[in-house]
Amino acid sequence: SKLFMPVGVIYSCLVNFAIFCALLPFVAPFPLKSDVQYPVFFVCTIIIIIDLYRRNISLNKLELYFLFVVVLSLFYINPFVSYSYIIKKRVGLLFGFILFYVFRRYAYLLSAKTVIFAVFINLFGVLFQLISPGTFKFIAEMFTRKIYNYSQSSGTRGVSGFSAEPGFLGAMSVIFILISYHLYVNRKMKKKQFYLITIISIFMAFA
């Protein structure tokens, strides 16, 4: 099936935009009332739709097991327990499968520049919040569900940057290092870039 531009270019752009959104998971143009936002799931769903259009879908055993658990989580109802069926509590595994499918299959398209750009945006958010917590909160809450107050005098909670919680920023910092290491060992990121991302990530984790 033909598309409007080279397939490789389409996939490369979409996958890198998806990882960019994944590294800013709490940010969205119109944030929903949840911590993790929708852009990365939306982009990854487009990638899967293109795979379906091109008849390029194939699942290994692990993915089939994962998909089975997803279907089970969506439709299983325990007849011996009384509870309300709430769809937003059922779709977590489905979203997880969407991300797993895309990034397992297309991780080789990941660009170091995308990761570095996303890390620097997160760093900008952290520095902005350290310098002017009130202004940062006012601006950042246009794109995130909530930014918790940070006091320069006490600093008890630490900064969150564009994350929903300071603890989430620490977890994201570890992810930045792991992804950068993956790129480094696969010769897609220079040693100096890897060291720089590591230092920045450690700083954000303890900010």
Side-chain angles (χ1 to χ4, degrees):
S1 300
K2 293 184 178 179
L3 296 171
F4 61 91
M5 60 189 301
V7 173
V9 175
I10 295 174
Y11 277 109
S12 181
C13 291
L14 287 174
V15 169
N16 279 280
F17 186 47
I19 195 64
F20 175 79
C21 294
L23 296 180
L24 288 161
F26 311 103
V27 176
F30 305 99
L32 303 178
K33 293 181 179 179
S34 64
D35 289 334
V36 177
Q37 297 297 324
Y38 54 87
V40 62
F41 306 111
F42 179 76
V43 178
C44 287
T45 300
I46 291 176
I47 293 172
I48 293 176
I49 290 172
I50 294 175
D51 276 355
L52 288 169
Y53 174 77
R54 299 181 63 237
R55 300 178 182 178
N56 192 35
I57 289 282
S58 62
L59 302 178
N60 59 27
K61 288 184 178 180
L62 177 59
E63 289 166 334
L64 288 172
Y65 292 145
F66 196 161
L67 188 58
F68 171 75
V69 174
V70 168
V71 174
L72 194 65
S73 70
L74 288 173
F75 297 105
Y76 176 75
I77 297 177
N78 189 339
F80 303 104
V81 178
S82 177
Y83 65 95
S84 299
Y85 184 96
I86 303 174
I87 187 64
K88 70 177 183 179
K89 294 184 177 181
R90 298 281 189 139
V91 297
L93 282 175
L94 173 61
F95 290 156
F97 174 79
I98 290 171
L99 298 188
F100 179 77
Y101 170 86
V102 169
F103 292 131
R104 183 199 67 81
R105 174 171 288 216
Y106 297 113
Y108 69 93
L109 294 173
L110 179 58
S111 167
K113 292 181 180 179
T114 303
V115 176
I116 293 170
F117 184 44
V119 170
F120 270 91
I121 289 181
N122 279 280
L123 176 62
F124 170 76
V126 169
L127 295 176
F128 193 173
Q129 190 175 18
L130 283 170
I131 295 169
S132 183
T135 305
F136 175 78
K137 177 179 173 64
F138 174 76
I139 296 174
E141 286 189 344
M142 297 178 185
F143 308 102
T144 59
R145 183 181 71 87
K146 184 176 179 61
I147 297 293
Y148 287 92
N149 291 321
Y150 166 72
S151 171
Q152 288 178 308
S153 58
S154 63
T156 52
R157 288 187 63 89
V159 297
S160 62
F162 293 110
S163 300
E165 291 266 5
F168 292 166
L169 176 62
M172 290 301 301
S173 298
V174 174
I175 292 173
F176 297 153
I177 294 173
L178 291 175
I179 293 178
S180 298
Y181 180 74
H182 168 79
L183 291 171
Y184 170 64
V185 298
N186 285 280
R187 300 181 179 180
K188 299 186 72 175
M189 177 178 282
K190 297 178 181 178
K191 183 183 290 187
K192 290 182 179 179
Q193 293 174 322
F194 170 64
Y195 287 157
L196 177 62
I197 296 302
T198 300
I199 292 170
I200 291 173
S201 299
I202 292 172
F203 164 75
M204 290 192 292
F206 289 95

